[in-house]
Amino acid sequence: MSTPETSRYVRLKVELVLDISDPGALTGAALDRIGHDEFMPDEERAHAESAVREDGAEALAYLVDPFDLVGKVPGVELAQASWSSEPVDYDPDEPDWDEDVDQDVDEDVDDEVDEGEESLPGRV
């Protein structure tokens, strides 16, 4: 598997839907993390504290650390990470809830190809 054409870098995509059952505990933990961050400038700290008080998704973003996910995995080193969080409407019983967002893209591409093929003359 390790050929000169194979990259040693891997992009790992993870999507989670979390239920915030105790917003106060979440906000408190994020404020604690921000308060103990010795490298955060005071102006940024004030902005961060305000943001986590207003938005649980923002509080979560201050608590989730991608390094924690892979830091103890043997043979890998985190080269780059980015993440975000946002509130979503979630109902696992909803038939339209699609857990695989990429699947929608593939279906759209297939639909476009089918429509294009139907419009070509001489095709059955």
Side-chain angles (χ1 to χ4, degrees):
M1 170 147 185
S2 185
T3 66
E5 298 165 1
T6 304
S7 174
R8 66 182 208 181
Y9 296 96
V10 174
R11 181 182 311 267
L12 173 66
K13 294 182 179 184
V14 177
E15 182 171 331
L16 305 169
V17 176
L18 305 173
D19 179 6
I20 300 176
S21 59
D22 189 344
L26 176 64
T27 300
L31 290 171
D32 187 53
R33 165 84 52 99
I34 293 166
H36 287 95
D37 186 343
E38 60 190 51
F39 300 109
M40 187 179 292
D42 289 340
E43 185 175 305
E44 185 179 335
R45 185 182 319 278
H47 180 270
E49 289 172 344
S50 174
V52 301
R53 283 187 180 103
E54 294 177 20
D55 185 1
E58 193 71 31
L60 186 61
Y62 276 95
L63 293 170
V64 172
D65 183 353
F67 180 77
D68 291 343
L69 297 173
V70 296
K72 294 183 180 180
V73 176
V76 300
E77 182 177 326
L78 184 62
Q80 179 183 357
S82 64
W83 66 103
S84 64
S85 61
E86 62 185 356
V88 296
D89 292 329
Y90 175 70
D91 181 358
D93 298 326
E94 177 74 30
D96 292 338
W97 176 257
D98 188 7
E99 295 176 326
D100 187 4
V101 176
D102 292 338
Q103 187 178 9
D104 286 344
V105 174
D106 293 340
E107 289 174 0
D108 291 344
V109 170
D110 290 344
D111 290 345
E112 290 173 13
V113 171
D114 290 344
E115 291 171 8
E117 288 178 355
E118 291 174 3
S119 67
L120 293 174
R123 290 265 176 132
V124 178

